[in-house]
Amino acid sequence: TIHIHLPTTTTTIIIPPSCIYALLLIAILILKAFINTQFTYRQALITLQLRSAIACIVFHCTLFPYNNNRDTININNTTTNQPVAMTLMSVDADRASGLTQGLHELWSLPLQLIISLLLLYIYIKYAFLAGLIIVLLLIPINRALARRIQTASIAMMEAKDRRIQLLQDVLHSIHQIKAGCYEDYFASKLNVYRQQELKGLAVKKYLDALCVFFWASTAVLFNTATFSVFVVWAGGRMSVETVFTSIALFGMLLGPIN
């Protein structure tokens, strides 16, 4: 019997911490993508169900009005014409279906804001208050823009309802209008309502552009004010980790701030 002893060698593989952090970051991103996909799917499903339920209720009131008049519907003891019913089923149903997202933002945005501000305090101390003050000063401007957008939206929808109502009346009485040669008269009235609707739409879009401008400038103003106070008044040192980490935290603040 011949026994052969082979030398055994043990090799130790040392994984640097940077590779571990990179793998953890990849795993977190994959988990985040999976959770976001499931959340988006569930939220879209609930939104679709809510919008369908509202449209069915309005359509049921249109088919079976309480006052036995099919030209009007009765909702909450108020009489509404058919163009308003179409608006309820199209525009207002979409806005009401956004309630699900608003409920989640009600608790998630303050939590995200608190965590971001706490991490900013760890890196740059009280210097972040300078950017926060600028954001607070922009709140009245955003509030005024939001009110003006709401007013323009209401005016636009009212003009749209009048235009649809007049167009419906024209289609119902098209033979009498043709016989009396009233085409130009009703066409001019339709154009007036259409111009009013387009005017409200134009005001809304211009104000939306201002909102986008303030949204884009908020990040720049926040970064500039915070880093200026951190360097000039607090006497801090602008290192790589401080700058990039603070910019990433500023990006997290954009959602709650807007």
Side-chain angles (χ1 to χ4, degrees), residues 153-183:
S153 300
I154 293 174
M156 181 185 67
M157 297 310 299
E158 289 178 351
K160 180 181 179 181
D161 292 336
R162 291 193 297 267
R163 179 176 60 84
I164 293 176
Q165 179 64 50
L166 180 59
L167 184 59
Q168 183 180 3
D169 294 337
V170 169
L171 292 177
H172 285 170
S173 306
I174 190 64
H175 296 290
Q176 291 82 0
I177 293 175
K178 286 289 186 179
C181 298
Y182 291 130
E183 296 94 336

Short mmCIF file of all heavy atoms in Angstrom, two decimals, residues 153-183:
data_model
loop_
_atom_site.label_atom_id
_atom_site.label_comp_id
_atom_site.label_asym_id
_atom_site.label_seq_id
_atom_site.Cartn_x
_atom_site.Cartn_y
_atom_site.Cartn_z
N SER A 153 -58.56 77.22 -13.93
CA SER A 153 -59.15 75.92 -14.26
C SER A 153 -60.67 75.94 -14.15
O SER A 153 -61.38 75.39 -14.99
CB SER A 153 -58.57 74.84 -13.32
OG SER A 153 -57.17 74.74 -13.47
N ILE A 154 -61.17 76.63 -13.11
CA ILE A 154 -62.63 76.73 -12.95
C ILE A 154 -63.25 77.51 -14.10
O ILE A 154 -64.28 77.11 -14.67
CB ILE A 154 -62.96 77.39 -11.60
CG1 ILE A 154 -62.55 76.47 -10.44
CG2 ILE A 154 -64.45 77.71 -11.50
CD1 ILE A 154 -62.71 77.09 -9.08
N ALA A 155 -62.62 78.62 -14.48
CA ALA A 155 -63.13 79.41 -15.61
C ALA A 155 -63.09 78.61 -16.90
O ALA A 155 -64.02 78.68 -17.72
CB ALA A 155 -62.32 80.69 -15.74
N MET A 156 -62.04 77.85 -17.11
CA MET A 156 -61.93 77.04 -18.32
C MET A 156 -63.01 75.97 -18.37
O MET A 156 -63.64 75.75 -19.42
CB MET A 156 -60.54 76.40 -18.38
CG MET A 156 -60.29 75.55 -19.62
SD MET A 156 -58.70 74.72 -19.58
CE MET A 156 -58.98 73.56 -18.22
N MET A 157 -63.25 75.30 -17.24
CA MET A 157 -64.26 74.24 -17.22
C MET A 157 -65.67 74.81 -17.37
O MET A 157 -66.54 74.19 -18.00
CB MET A 157 -64.15 73.44 -15.92
CG MET A 157 -62.83 72.70 -15.75
SD MET A 157 -62.35 71.72 -17.19
CE MET A 157 -63.71 70.58 -17.28
N GLU A 158 -65.92 75.99 -16.81
CA GLU A 158 -67.24 76.60 -16.99
C GLU A 158 -67.48 76.96 -18.45
O GLU A 158 -68.58 76.75 -18.99
CB GLU A 158 -67.35 77.84 -16.10
CG GLU A 158 -67.45 77.52 -14.61
CD GLU A 158 -67.51 78.78 -13.77
OE1 GLU A 158 -67.29 79.88 -14.34
OE2 GLU A 158 -67.77 78.67 -12.55
N ALA A 159 -66.46 77.53 -19.10
CA ALA A 159 -66.59 77.85 -20.53
C ALA A 159 -66.77 76.57 -21.35
O ALA A 159 -67.54 76.55 -22.32
CB ALA A 159 -65.37 78.63 -21.01
N LYS A 160 -66.09 75.51 -20.96
CA LYS A 160 -66.25 74.24 -21.67
C LYS A 160 -67.66 73.69 -21.51
O LYS A 160 -68.27 73.19 -22.47
CB LYS A 160 -65.23 73.24 -21.14
CG LYS A 160 -65.30 71.87 -21.80
CD LYS A 160 -64.27 70.93 -21.21
CE LYS A 160 -64.36 69.55 -21.86
NZ LYS A 160 -63.37 68.60 -21.28
N ASP A 161 -68.23 73.80 -20.30
CA ASP A 161 -69.61 73.32 -20.08
C ASP A 161 -70.61 74.12 -20.91
O ASP A 161 -71.54 73.54 -21.50
CB ASP A 161 -69.96 73.42 -18.60
CG ASP A 161 -69.16 72.43 -17.76
OD1 ASP A 161 -68.71 71.42 -18.32
OD2 ASP A 161 -68.98 72.68 -16.54
N ARG A 162 -70.42 75.44 -20.97
CA ARG A 162 -71.33 76.26 -21.78
C ARG A 162 -71.21 75.93 -23.27
O ARG A 162 -72.22 75.88 -23.99
CB ARG A 162 -71.04 77.75 -21.55
CG ARG A 162 -71.42 78.25 -20.16
CD ARG A 162 -71.41 79.76 -20.11
NE ARG A 162 -70.08 80.30 -20.34
CZ ARG A 162 -69.21 80.59 -19.37
NH1 ARG A 162 -69.55 80.37 -18.10
NH2 ARG A 162 -68.02 81.07 -19.66
N ARG A 163 -69.98 75.68 -23.71
CA ARG A 163 -69.79 75.35 -25.11
C ARG A 163 -70.43 74.00 -25.45
O ARG A 163 -71.10 73.85 -26.50
CB ARG A 163 -68.29 75.32 -25.44
CG ARG A 163 -67.97 74.96 -26.88
CD ARG A 163 -66.48 75.05 -27.14
NE ARG A 163 -65.74 74.15 -26.29
CZ ARG A 163 -65.52 72.85 -26.57
NH1 ARG A 163 -66.02 72.33 -27.69
NH2 ARG A 163 -64.81 72.10 -25.77
N ILE A 164 -70.26 73.02 -24.58
CA ILE A 164 -70.86 71.70 -24.85
C ILE A 164 -72.38 71.78 -24.80
O ILE A 164 -73.07 71.14 -25.60
CB ILE A 164 -70.32 70.68 -23.82
CG1 ILE A 164 -68.82 70.46 -24.05
CG2 ILE A 164 -71.06 69.36 -23.94
CD1 ILE A 164 -68.18 69.54 -23.04
N GLN A 165 -72.92 72.56 -23.85
CA GLN A 165 -74.37 72.71 -23.77
C GLN A 165 -74.93 73.36 -25.03
O GLN A 165 -75.96 72.92 -25.58
CB GLN A 165 -74.73 73.55 -22.54
CG GLN A 165 -76.21 73.79 -22.36
CD GLN A 165 -76.98 72.51 -22.10
OE1 GLN A 165 -76.60 71.72 -21.23
NE2 GLN A 165 -78.06 72.29 -22.82
N LEU A 166 -74.25 74.43 -25.50
CA LEU A 166 -74.72 75.10 -26.71
C LEU A 166 -74.58 74.18 -27.92
O LEU A 166 -75.48 74.13 -28.78
CB LEU A 166 -73.92 76.38 -26.92
CG LEU A 166 -74.29 77.20 -28.17
CD1 LEU A 166 -75.75 77.62 -28.14
CD2 LEU A 166 -73.38 78.42 -28.31
N LEU A 167 -73.49 73.42 -28.01
CA LEU A 167 -73.31 72.51 -29.13
C LEU A 167 -74.37 71.41 -29.11
O LEU A 167 -74.88 71.02 -30.18
CB LEU A 167 -71.91 71.90 -29.06
CG LEU A 167 -71.50 70.98 -30.22
CD1 LEU A 167 -71.55 71.74 -31.53
CD2 LEU A 167 -70.10 70.42 -29.98
N GLN A 168 -74.73 70.97 -27.93
CA GLN A 168 -75.78 69.96 -27.83
C GLN A 168 -77.13 70.52 -28.29
O GLN A 168 -77.88 69.86 -29.00
CB GLN A 168 -75.88 69.46 -26.39
CG GLN A 168 -76.90 68.37 -26.18
CD GLN A 168 -76.96 67.91 -24.74
OE1 GLN A 168 -76.27 68.45 -23.89
NE2 GLN A 168 -77.78 66.92 -24.47
N ASP A 169 -77.41 71.76 -27.89
CA ASP A 169 -78.66 72.39 -28.33
C ASP A 169 -78.67 72.60 -29.85
O ASP A 169 -79.73 72.44 -30.50
CB ASP A 169 -78.84 73.73 -27.62
CG ASP A 169 -79.04 73.56 -26.12
OD1 ASP A 169 -79.46 72.46 -25.71
OD2 ASP A 169 -78.76 74.52 -25.37
N VAL A 170 -77.51 72.94 -30.39
CA VAL A 170 -77.43 73.13 -31.85
C VAL A 170 -77.69 71.82 -32.58
O VAL A 170 -78.42 71.78 -33.59
CB VAL A 170 -76.07 73.72 -32.22
CG1 VAL A 170 -75.85 73.68 -33.73
CG2 VAL A 170 -75.95 75.16 -31.74
N LEU A 171 -77.11 70.74 -32.08
CA LEU A 171 -77.32 69.45 -32.73
C LEU A 171 -78.77 68.98 -32.62
O LEU A 171 -79.30 68.35 -33.54
CB LEU A 171 -76.38 68.40 -32.11
CG LEU A 171 -74.88 68.62 -32.38
CD1 LEU A 171 -74.06 67.57 -31.66
CD2 LEU A 171 -74.58 68.59 -33.88
N HIS A 172 -79.42 69.30 -31.51
CA HIS A 172 -80.83 68.91 -31.36
C HIS A 172 -81.75 69.72 -32.27
O HIS A 172 -82.82 69.25 -32.68
CB HIS A 172 -81.25 69.06 -29.90
CG HIS A 172 -80.71 68.00 -29.01
ND1 HIS A 172 -80.80 68.06 -27.64
CD2 HIS A 172 -80.04 66.85 -29.29
CE1 HIS A 172 -80.23 66.99 -27.12
NE2 HIS A 172 -79.76 66.24 -28.10
N SER A 173 -81.36 70.96 -32.54
CA SER A 173 -82.22 71.86 -33.33
C SER A 173 -81.57 72.21 -34.67
O SER A 173 -81.72 73.34 -35.17
CB SER A 173 -82.51 73.13 -32.54
OG SER A 173 -83.04 72.84 -31.27
N ILE A 174 -80.83 71.28 -35.23
CA ILE A 174 -80.08 71.59 -36.45
C ILE A 174 -81.00 71.90 -37.63
O ILE A 174 -80.68 72.75 -38.47
CB ILE A 174 -79.12 70.41 -36.78
CG1 ILE A 174 -78.16 70.81 -37.89
CG2 ILE A 174 -79.89 69.16 -37.10
CD1 ILE A 174 -77.23 71.92 -37.53
N HIS A 175 -82.17 71.26 -37.70
CA HIS A 175 -83.09 71.51 -38.82
C HIS A 175 -83.64 72.94 -38.75
O HIS A 175 -83.71 73.64 -39.77
CB HIS A 175 -84.23 70.49 -38.80
CG HIS A 175 -83.78 69.09 -39.01
ND1 HIS A 175 -83.30 68.62 -40.23
CD2 HIS A 175 -83.71 68.02 -38.16
CE1 HIS A 175 -82.98 67.36 -40.12
NE2 HIS A 175 -83.22 66.96 -38.87
N GLN A 176 -84.05 73.39 -37.57
CA GLN A 176 -84.56 74.75 -37.43
C GLN A 176 -83.47 75.79 -37.69
O GLN A 176 -83.73 76.85 -38.27
CB GLN A 176 -85.14 74.95 -36.02
CG GLN A 176 -86.42 74.17 -35.75
CD GLN A 176 -86.14 72.72 -35.37
OE1 GLN A 176 -84.99 72.31 -35.31
NE2 GLN A 176 -87.22 71.96 -35.13
N ILE A 177 -82.25 75.49 -37.25
CA ILE A 177 -81.15 76.43 -37.48
C ILE A 177 -80.84 76.53 -38.96
O ILE A 177 -80.61 77.64 -39.50
CB ILE A 177 -79.91 75.98 -36.67
CG1 ILE A 177 -80.20 76.11 -35.18
CG2 ILE A 177 -78.69 76.81 -37.04
CD1 ILE A 177 -79.09 75.57 -34.30
N LYS A 178 -80.83 75.41 -39.66
CA LYS A 178 -80.60 75.43 -41.10
C LYS A 178 -81.72 76.17 -41.83
O LYS A 178 -81.47 76.93 -42.78
CB LYS A 178 -80.48 74.00 -41.62
CG LYS A 178 -79.19 73.29 -41.26
CD LYS A 178 -78.02 73.85 -42.04
CE LYS A 178 -76.76 73.05 -41.80
NZ LYS A 178 -75.61 73.59 -42.58
N ALA A 179 -82.97 75.94 -41.39
CA ALA A 179 -84.10 76.60 -42.06
C ALA A 179 -84.09 78.10 -41.85
O ALA A 179 -84.46 78.87 -42.74
CB ALA A 179 -85.42 76.00 -41.56
N GLY A 180 -83.66 78.55 -40.67
CA GLY A 180 -83.63 79.99 -40.38
C GLY A 180 -82.32 80.66 -40.70
O GLY A 180 -82.17 81.87 -40.45
N CYS A 181 -81.35 79.92 -41.23
CA CYS A 181 -80.03 80.49 -41.59
C CYS A 181 -79.34 81.12 -40.37
O CYS A 181 -78.85 82.26 -40.43
CB CYS A 181 -80.16 81.51 -42.72
SG CYS A 181 -80.82 80.82 -44.25
N TYR A 182 -79.35 80.39 -39.26
CA TYR A 182 -78.71 80.87 -38.03
C TYR A 182 -77.34 80.25 -37.81
O TYR A 182 -76.82 80.28 -36.69
CB TYR A 182 -79.60 80.56 -36.82
CG TYR A 182 -80.88 81.35 -36.78
CD1 TYR A 182 -82.10 80.71 -36.58
CD2 TYR A 182 -80.87 82.73 -36.90
CE1 TYR A 182 -83.28 81.43 -36.52
CE2 TYR A 182 -82.05 83.46 -36.86
CZ TYR A 182 -83.25 82.81 -36.66
OH TYR A 182 -84.42 83.52 -36.60
N GLU A 183 -76.72 79.70 -38.85
CA GLU A 183 -75.45 79.02 -38.66
C GLU A 183 -74.36 79.97 -38.17
O GLU A 183 -73.61 79.65 -37.22
CB GLU A 183 -74.98 78.36 -39.97
CG GLU A 183 -75.89 77.25 -40.47
CD GLU A 183 -76.90 77.77 -41.46
OE1 GLU A 183 -77.20 78.99 -41.43
OE2 GLU A 183 -77.40 76.97 -42.27
#
